[in-house]
Amino acid sequence: MRINRIRRATIAVTAAAVLPLSLAACSSDDNGSSGDQGSSESTEGTTGGGMDEGEDTGADDSAQEETGAAAQTFGAACAATPAEGPGSFDGMALDPVATAAGNNEALTTLVSAVDAAGLVDTLNDADGITVFAPVNDAFAAIPEEDLNAVLADQDMLTGILTYHVVGERLSPEQLEDGSFETLQGGTVTTTGSGESFTVNDEAAVVCGNVQTANATVYLIDTVLMP
């Protein structure tokens, strides 16, 4: 009987010693789980911040896109220029001026005249010029008989076309009250401000500040005569 009492006492003491350790272990597991959850939430918060930064970067990219060649142009006729491809403003900026004009549907008559005058290489090889480029409607306004006579006379045609070219790039600000010598040897005058300019008080700029690889182009609604 005495031995049984000793055994029961020993078991009771052992249980008393083990129970607190078990409880402590359970408490430690619970705390560890809570800590993991807190870490996960913290990580999720960090990830969310990264997405916000990504969105800001997208806005910056959009702002950069607005600084392209198209953003520099002005005038009602600019709207007819395609948004993409060789004939777009960005596409024209990659080519020399005669090639770039050939990709613009509004300048097909001018390009034909330049080709007839043998001026394609002259314009493409020039370094930093301005071209006042008459649109198709400007040539269409000339009586057909007169236009055909000019196209048939290479010297006259060359003189008229080179009168539309200035040997430097001109910004819109320079057109506000300007007088410039042309490759033909004569002088063109410009007036205006903002997005409204005229050349020789007769030709209106309908799409301005178009950039090509070697020239600045101002599309005008009238053919200039020396």
Side-chain angles (χ1 to χ4, degrees):
M1 295 294 291
R2 182 178 180 183
I3 292 173
N4 290 337
R5 289 194 189 99
I6 293 173
R7 287 178 178 173
R8 286 197 294 269
T10 300
I11 292 171
V13 171
T14 302
V18 171
L19 183 60
L21 293 176
S22 300
L23 293 175
C26 291
S27 176
S28 176
D29 289 342
D30 291 341
N31 290 338
S33 176
S34 298
D36 291 342
Q37 292 176 357
S39 174
S40 175
E41 292 174 358
S42 175
T43 302
E44 290 175 359
T46 302
T47 302
M51 291 176 65
D52 290 340
E53 291 175 2
E55 291 173 358
D56 291 340
T57 300
D60 291 341
D61 290 343
S62 176
Q64 290 175 357
E65 290 176 0
E66 294 177 357
T67 63
Q72 305 173 24
T73 60
F74 63 86
C78 293
T81 302
E84 298 178 346
S88 68
F89 292 124
D90 287 336
M92 292 178 69
L94 301 176
D95 293 321
V97 63
T99 302
N103 294 324
N104 189 310
E105 292 296 326
L107 300 175
T108 54
T109 305
L110 173 62
V111 172
S112 295
V114 168
D115 186 46
L119 292 174
V120 172
D121 290 340
T122 299
L123 295 178
N124 276 349
D125 294 340
D127 183 17
I129 58 176
T130 292
V131 178
F132 294 103
V135 296
N136 295 338
D137 288 345
F139 285 97
I142 301 174
E144 184 177 0
E145 183 177 350
D146 294 340
L147 180 59
N148 289 337
V150 170
L151 293 175
D153 187 332
Q154 189 172 22
D155 289 340
M156 182 185 297
L157 180 61
T158 298
I160 292 173
L161 294 177
T162 53
Y163 183 67
H164 290 74
V165 183
V166 174
E168 62 178 306
R169 285 185 183 266
L170 300 176
S171 68
E173 290 75 18
Q174 289 175 283
L175 301 187
E176 291 180 1
D177 185 16
S179 178
F180 310 99
E181 183 177 354
T182 70
L183 297 190
Q184 179 265 351
T187 300
V188 293
T189 59
T190 57
T191 56
S193 62
E195 297 185 356
S196 178
F197 295 95
T198 58
V199 185
N200 287 357
D201 294 325
E202 57 177 326
V205 174
V206 295
C207 181
N209 205 29
V210 178
Q211 301 300 313
T212 74
N214 69 327
T216 299
V217 181
Y218 293 89
L219 280 66
I220 56 177
D221 65 357
T222 304
V223 178
L224 305 174
M225 293 296 177

mmCIF file with all atom_site columns, all heavy atoms in Angstrom, residues 1 14 47 49 55 59-60 69 76 82 95 128 145 157 162 168 201 204 208 220:
data_model
loop_
_atom_site.group_PDB
_atom_site.id
_atom_site.type_symbol
_atom_site.label_atom_id
_atom_site.label_alt_id
_atom_site.label_comp_id
_atom_site.label_asym_id
_atom_site.label_entity_id
_atom_site.label_seq_id
_atom_site.pdbx_PDB_ins_code
_atom_site.Cartn_x
_atom_site.Cartn_y
_atom_site.Cartn_z
_atom_site.occupancy
_atom_site.B_iso_or_equiv
_atom_site.pdbx_formal_charge
_atom_site.auth_seq_id
_atom_site.auth_comp_id
_atom_site.auth_asym_id
_atom_site.auth_atom_id
_atom_site.pdbx_PDB_model_num
ATOM 1   N N   . MET A 1 1   ? 0.826  -1.201 0.000    1.00 0.00 ? 1   MET A N   1
ATOM 2   C CA  . MET A 1 1   ? 0.000  0.000  0.000    1.00 0.00 ? 1   MET A CA  1
ATOM 3   C C   . MET A 1 1   ? 0.860  1.249  0.000    1.00 0.00 ? 1   MET A C   1
ATOM 4   O O   . MET A 1 1   ? 0.575  2.212  -0.684   1.00 0.00 ? 1   MET A O   1
ATOM 5   C CB  . MET A 1 1   ? -0.942 0.023  1.215    1.00 0.00 ? 1   MET A CB  1
ATOM 6   C CG  . MET A 1 1   ? -1.980 -1.092 1.210    1.00 0.00 ? 1   MET A CG  1
ATOM 7   S SD  . MET A 1 1   ? -3.161 -0.898 -0.147   1.00 0.00 ? 1   MET A SD  1
ATOM 8   C CE  . MET A 1 1   ? -3.982 0.544  0.463    1.00 0.00 ? 1   MET A CE  1
ATOM 9   N N   . THR A 1 14  ? 5.144  14.679 -11.278  1.00 0.00 ? 14  THR A N   1
ATOM 10  C CA  . THR A 1 14  ? 5.590  14.736 -12.686  1.00 0.00 ? 14  THR A CA  1
ATOM 11  C C   . THR A 1 14  ? 4.591  15.496 -13.541  1.00 0.00 ? 14  THR A C   1
ATOM 12  O O   . THR A 1 14  ? 4.944  16.336 -14.373  1.00 0.00 ? 14  THR A O   1
ATOM 13  C CB  . THR A 1 14  ? 5.763  13.318 -13.240  1.00 0.00 ? 14  THR A CB  1
ATOM 14  O OG1 . THR A 1 14  ? 6.707  12.629 -12.438  1.00 0.00 ? 14  THR A OG1 1
ATOM 15  C CG2 . THR A 1 14  ? 6.244  13.370 -14.687  1.00 0.00 ? 14  THR A CG2 1
ATOM 16  N N   . THR A 1 47  ? 3.463  45.364 -50.877  1.00 0.00 ? 47  THR A N   1
ATOM 17  C CA  . THR A 1 47  ? 3.113  45.072 -52.268  1.00 0.00 ? 47  THR A CA  1
ATOM 18  C C   . THR A 1 47  ? 2.145  46.106 -52.810  1.00 0.00 ? 47  THR A C   1
ATOM 19  O O   . THR A 1 47  ? 2.268  46.574 -53.929  1.00 0.00 ? 47  THR A O   1
ATOM 20  C CB  . THR A 1 47  ? 2.486  43.668 -52.371  1.00 0.00 ? 47  THR A CB  1
ATOM 21  O OG1 . THR A 1 47  ? 3.414  42.715 -51.857  1.00 0.00 ? 47  THR A OG1 1
ATOM 22  C CG2 . THR A 1 47  ? 2.145  43.344 -53.815  1.00 0.00 ? 47  THR A CG2 1
ATOM 23  N N   . GLY A 1 49  ? 1.908  49.205 -51.984  1.00 0.00 ? 49  GLY A N   1
ATOM 24  C CA  . GLY A 1 49  ? 2.655  50.421 -52.269  1.00 0.00 ? 49  GLY A CA  1
ATOM 25  C C   . GLY A 1 49  ? 3.360  50.325 -53.598  1.00 0.00 ? 49  GLY A C   1
ATOM 26  O O   . GLY A 1 49  ? 3.454  51.284 -54.355  1.00 0.00 ? 49  GLY A O   1
ATOM 27  N N   . GLU A 1 55  ? 1.577  52.684 -60.958  1.00 0.00 ? 55  GLU A N   1
ATOM 28  C CA  . GLU A 1 55  ? 0.588  53.544 -61.582  1.00 0.00 ? 55  GLU A CA  1
ATOM 29  C C   . GLU A 1 55  ? 1.167  54.916 -61.856  1.00 0.00 ? 55  GLU A C   1
ATOM 30  O O   . GLU A 1 55  ? 0.930  55.534 -62.872  1.00 0.00 ? 55  GLU A O   1
ATOM 31  C CB  . GLU A 1 55  ? -0.641 53.639 -60.685  1.00 0.00 ? 55  GLU A CB  1
ATOM 32  C CG  . GLU A 1 55  ? -1.418 52.312 -60.603  1.00 0.00 ? 55  GLU A CG  1
ATOM 33  C CD  . GLU A 1 55  ? -2.530 52.397 -59.584  1.00 0.00 ? 55  GLU A CD  1
ATOM 34  O OE1 . GLU A 1 55  ? -2.655 53.448 -58.951  1.00 0.00 ? 55  GLU A OE1 1
ATOM 35  O OE2 . GLU A 1 55  ? -3.263 51.415 -59.422  1.00 0.00 ? 55  GLU A OE2 1
ATOM 36  N N   . ALA A 1 59  ? 1.693  57.140 -65.527  1.00 0.00 ? 59  ALA A N   1
ATOM 37  C CA  . ALA A 1 59  ? 1.344  58.530 -65.789  1.00 0.00 ? 59  ALA A CA  1
ATOM 38  C C   . ALA A 1 59  ? 2.530  59.266 -66.384  1.00 0.00 ? 59  ALA A C   1
ATOM 39  O O   . ALA A 1 59  ? 2.391  60.099 -67.281  1.00 0.00 ? 59  ALA A O   1
ATOM 40  C CB  . ALA A 1 59  ? 0.885  59.212 -64.484  1.00 0.00 ? 59  ALA A CB  1
ATOM 41  N N   . ASP A 1 60  ? 3.737  58.973 -65.876  1.00 0.00 ? 60  ASP A N   1
ATOM 42  C CA  . ASP A 1 60  ? 4.935  59.619 -66.408  1.00 0.00 ? 60  ASP A CA  1
ATOM 43  C C   . ASP A 1 60  ? 5.146  59.236 -67.864  1.00 0.00 ? 60  ASP A C   1
ATOM 44  O O   . ASP A 1 60  ? 5.518  60.061 -68.693  1.00 0.00 ? 60  ASP A O   1
ATOM 45  C CB  . ASP A 1 60  ? 6.170  59.219 -65.585  1.00 0.00 ? 60  ASP A CB  1
ATOM 46  C CG  . ASP A 1 60  ? 6.129  59.808 -64.176  1.00 0.00 ? 60  ASP A CG  1
ATOM 47  O OD1 . ASP A 1 60  ? 5.367  60.769 -63.988  1.00 0.00 ? 60  ASP A OD1 1
ATOM 48  O OD2 . ASP A 1 60  ? 6.840  59.297 -63.297  1.00 0.00 ? 60  ASP A OD2 1
ATOM 49  N N   . ALA A 1 69  ? 6.713  64.338 -81.737  1.00 0.00 ? 69  ALA A N   1
ATOM 50  C CA  . ALA A 1 69  ? 6.637  65.265 -82.860  1.00 0.00 ? 69  ALA A CA  1
ATOM 51  C C   . ALA A 1 69  ? 5.249  65.850 -83.033  1.00 0.00 ? 69  ALA A C   1
ATOM 52  O O   . ALA A 1 69  ? 5.088  67.017 -83.363  1.00 0.00 ? 69  ALA A O   1
ATOM 53  C CB  . ALA A 1 69  ? 7.079  64.557 -84.132  1.00 0.00 ? 69  ALA A CB  1
ATOM 54  N N   . ALA A 1 76  ? -5.291 73.690 -88.123  1.00 0.00 ? 76  ALA A N   1
ATOM 55  C CA  . ALA A 1 76  ? -6.459 72.845 -88.365  1.00 0.00 ? 76  ALA A CA  1
ATOM 56  C C   . ALA A 1 76  ? -6.156 71.684 -89.306  1.00 0.00 ? 76  ALA A C   1
ATOM 57  O O   . ALA A 1 76  ? -6.678 70.579 -89.141  1.00 0.00 ? 76  ALA A O   1
ATOM 58  C CB  . ALA A 1 76  ? -7.596 73.693 -88.936  1.00 0.00 ? 76  ALA A CB  1
ATOM 59  N N   . PRO A 1 82  ? -2.196 61.156 -90.518  1.00 0.00 ? 82  PRO A N   1
ATOM 60  C CA  . PRO A 1 82  ? -2.421 59.892 -89.790  1.00 0.00 ? 82  PRO A CA  1
ATOM 61  C C   . PRO A 1 82  ? -1.639 59.835 -88.493  1.00 0.00 ? 82  PRO A C   1
ATOM 62  O O   . PRO A 1 82  ? -0.597 60.484 -88.343  1.00 0.00 ? 82  PRO A O   1
ATOM 63  C CB  . PRO A 1 82  ? -1.942 58.824 -90.786  1.00 0.00 ? 82  PRO A CB  1
ATOM 64  C CG  . PRO A 1 82  ? -1.026 59.548 -91.721  1.00 0.00 ? 82  PRO A CG  1
ATOM 65  C CD  . PRO A 1 82  ? -1.558 60.943 -91.831  1.00 0.00 ? 82  PRO A CD  1
ATOM 66  N N   . ASP A 1 95  ? 12.570 60.965 -91.676  1.00 0.00 ? 95  ASP A N   1
ATOM 67  C CA  . ASP A 1 95  ? 13.029 61.039 -93.066  1.00 0.00 ? 95  ASP A CA  1
ATOM 68  C C   . ASP A 1 95  ? 13.431 62.451 -93.454  1.00 0.00 ? 95  ASP A C   1
ATOM 69  O O   . ASP A 1 95  ? 12.912 63.432 -92.903  1.00 0.00 ? 95  ASP A O   1
ATOM 70  C CB  . ASP A 1 95  ? 11.915 60.568 -94.011  1.00 0.00 ? 95  ASP A CB  1
ATOM 71  C CG  . ASP A 1 95  ? 11.607 59.090 -93.863  1.00 0.00 ? 95  ASP A CG  1
ATOM 72  O OD1 . ASP A 1 95  ? 12.562 58.317 -93.689  1.00 0.00 ? 95  ASP A OD1 1
ATOM 73  O OD2 . ASP A 1 95  ? 10.422 58.722 -93.924  1.00 0.00 ? 95  ASP A OD2 1
ATOM 74  N N   . GLY A 1 128 ? 19.408 71.474 -92.319  1.00 0.00 ? 128 GLY A N   1
ATOM 75  C CA  . GLY A 1 128 ? 18.730 72.478 -91.510  1.00 0.00 ? 128 GLY A CA  1
ATOM 76  C C   . GLY A 1 128 ? 18.086 73.569 -92.350  1.00 0.00 ? 128 GLY A C   1
ATOM 77  O O   . GLY A 1 128 ? 18.636 74.663 -92.512  1.00 0.00 ? 128 GLY A O   1
ATOM 78  N N   . GLU A 1 145 ? -4.029 75.752 -117.123 1.00 0.00 ? 145 GLU A N   1
ATOM 79  C CA  . GLU A 1 145 ? -3.119 76.129 -118.219 1.00 0.00 ? 145 GLU A CA  1
ATOM 80  C C   . GLU A 1 145 ? -1.839 76.749 -117.666 1.00 0.00 ? 145 GLU A C   1
ATOM 81  O O   . GLU A 1 145 ? -0.729 76.451 -118.136 1.00 0.00 ? 145 GLU A O   1
ATOM 82  C CB  . GLU A 1 145 ? -3.826 77.109 -119.155 1.00 0.00 ? 145 GLU A CB  1
ATOM 83  C CG  . GLU A 1 145 ? -2.983 77.510 -120.362 1.00 0.00 ? 145 GLU A CG  1
ATOM 84  C CD  . GLU A 1 145 ? -3.742 78.434 -121.304 1.00 0.00 ? 145 GLU A CD  1
ATOM 85  O OE1 . GLU A 1 145 ? -4.958 78.616 -121.126 1.00 0.00 ? 145 GLU A OE1 1
ATOM 86  O OE2 . GLU A 1 145 ? -3.100 78.989 -122.227 1.00 0.00 ? 145 GLU A OE2 1
ATOM 87  N N   . LEU A 1 157 ? 10.035 76.568 -112.786 1.00 0.00 ? 157 LEU A N   1
ATOM 88  C CA  . LEU A 1 157 ? 9.570  75.716 -111.696 1.00 0.00 ? 157 LEU A CA  1
ATOM 89  C C   . LEU A 1 157 ? 10.587 75.681 -110.558 1.00 0.00 ? 157 LEU A C   1
ATOM 90  O O   . LEU A 1 157 ? 10.216 75.784 -109.380 1.00 0.00 ? 157 LEU A O   1
ATOM 91  C CB  . LEU A 1 157 ? 9.311  74.300 -112.216 1.00 0.00 ? 157 LEU A CB  1
ATOM 92  C CG  . LEU A 1 157 ? 8.815  73.265 -111.204 1.00 0.00 ? 157 LEU A CG  1
ATOM 93  C CD1 . LEU A 1 157 ? 7.482  73.708 -110.612 1.00 0.00 ? 157 LEU A CD1 1
ATOM 94  C CD2 . LEU A 1 157 ? 8.685  71.895 -111.868 1.00 0.00 ? 157 LEU A CD2 1
ATOM 95  N N   . THR A 1 162 ? 12.215 76.844 -105.077 1.00 0.00 ? 162 THR A N   1
ATOM 96  C CA  . THR A 1 162 ? 13.286 77.255 -104.153 1.00 0.00 ? 162 THR A CA  1
ATOM 97  C C   . THR A 1 162 ? 12.934 78.559 -103.436 1.00 0.00 ? 162 THR A C   1
ATOM 98  O O   . THR A 1 162 ? 13.529 78.872 -102.403 1.00 0.00 ? 162 THR A O   1
ATOM 99  C CB  . THR A 1 162 ? 14.631 77.411 -104.893 1.00 0.00 ? 162 THR A CB  1
ATOM 100 O OG1 . THR A 1 162 ? 14.466 78.295 -106.018 1.00 0.00 ? 162 THR A OG1 1
ATOM 101 C CG2 . THR A 1 162 ? 15.132 76.050 -105.382 1.00 0.00 ? 162 THR A CG2 1
ATOM 102 N N   . GLU A 1 168 ? 17.556 77.877 -93.140  1.00 0.00 ? 168 GLU A N   1
ATOM 103 C CA  . GLU A 1 168 ? 17.694 77.623 -91.700  1.00 0.00 ? 168 GLU A CA  1
ATOM 104 C C   . GLU A 1 168 ? 16.366 77.137 -91.155  1.00 0.00 ? 168 GLU A C   1
ATOM 105 O O   . GLU A 1 168 ? 15.313 77.382 -91.745  1.00 0.00 ? 168 GLU A O   1
ATOM 106 C CB  . GLU A 1 168 ? 18.122 78.893 -90.953  1.00 0.00 ? 168 GLU A CB  1
ATOM 107 C CG  . GLU A 1 168 ? 17.115 80.031 -91.064  1.00 0.00 ? 168 GLU A CG  1
ATOM 108 C CD  . GLU A 1 168 ? 17.531 81.265 -90.282  1.00 0.00 ? 168 GLU A CD  1
ATOM 109 O OE1 . GLU A 1 168 ? 17.798 81.135 -89.066  1.00 0.00 ? 168 GLU A OE1 1
ATOM 110 O OE2 . GLU A 1 168 ? 17.579 82.360 -90.891  1.00 0.00 ? 168 GLU A OE2 1
ATOM 111 N N   . ASP A 1 201 ? 1.873  87.932 -96.500  1.00 0.00 ? 201 ASP A N   1
ATOM 112 C CA  . ASP A 1 201 ? 0.534  88.503 -96.332  1.00 0.00 ? 201 ASP A CA  1
ATOM 113 C C   . ASP A 1 201 ? -0.512 87.861 -97.239  1.00 0.00 ? 201 ASP A C   1
ATOM 114 O O   . ASP A 1 201 ? -1.578 88.452 -97.494  1.00 0.00 ? 201 ASP A O   1
ATOM 115 C CB  . ASP A 1 201 ? 0.550  90.023 -96.587  1.00 0.00 ? 201 ASP A CB  1
ATOM 116 C CG  . ASP A 1 201 ? 1.352  90.780 -95.547  1.00 0.00 ? 201 ASP A CG  1
ATOM 117 O OD1 . ASP A 1 201 ? 1.344  90.367 -94.375  1.00 0.00 ? 201 ASP A OD1 1
ATOM 118 O OD2 . ASP A 1 201 ? 2.008  91.777 -95.923  1.00 0.00 ? 201 ASP A OD2 1
ATOM 119 N N   . ALA A 1 204 ? -1.692 81.446 -95.760  1.00 0.00 ? 204 ALA A N   1
ATOM 120 C CA  . ALA A 1 204 ? -1.888 81.110 -94.347  1.00 0.00 ? 204 ALA A CA  1
ATOM 121 C C   . ALA A 1 204 ? -1.233 79.771 -94.033  1.00 0.00 ? 204 ALA A C   1
ATOM 122 O O   . ALA A 1 204 ? -1.284 78.834 -94.832  1.00 0.00 ? 204 ALA A O   1
ATOM 123 C CB  . ALA A 1 204 ? -3.375 81.058 -94.026  1.00 0.00 ? 204 ALA A CB  1
ATOM 124 N N   . GLY A 1 208 ? 1.522  73.823 -88.967  1.00 0.00 ? 208 GLY A N   1
ATOM 125 C CA  . GLY A 1 208 ? 2.866  74.358 -88.789  1.00 0.00 ? 208 GLY A CA  1
ATOM 126 C C   . GLY A 1 208 ? 3.760  73.565 -87.865  1.00 0.00 ? 208 GLY A C   1
ATOM 127 O O   . GLY A 1 208 ? 3.316  72.727 -87.085  1.00 0.00 ? 208 GLY A O   1
ATOM 128 N N   . ILE A 1 220 ? 1.199  75.503 -96.240  1.00 0.00 ? 220 ILE A N   1
ATOM 129 C CA  . ILE A 1 220 ? 0.496  76.756 -96.518  1.00 0.00 ? 220 ILE A CA  1
ATOM 130 C C   . ILE A 1 220 ? -0.579 76.535 -97.582  1.00 0.00 ? 220 ILE A C   1
ATOM 131 O O   . ILE A 1 220 ? -0.534 75.564 -98.339  1.00 0.00 ? 220 ILE A O   1
ATOM 132 C CB  . ILE A 1 220 ? 1.479  77.861 -96.959  1.00 0.00 ? 220 ILE A CB  1
ATOM 133 C CG1 . ILE A 1 220 ? 2.293  77.411 -98.175  1.00 0.00 ? 220 ILE A CG1 1
ATOM 134 C CG2 . ILE A 1 220 ? 2.398  78.238 -95.808  1.00 0.00 ? 220 ILE A CG2 1
ATOM 135 C CD1 . ILE A 1 220 ? 3.239  78.478 -98.728  1.00 0.00 ? 220 ILE A CD1 1
#
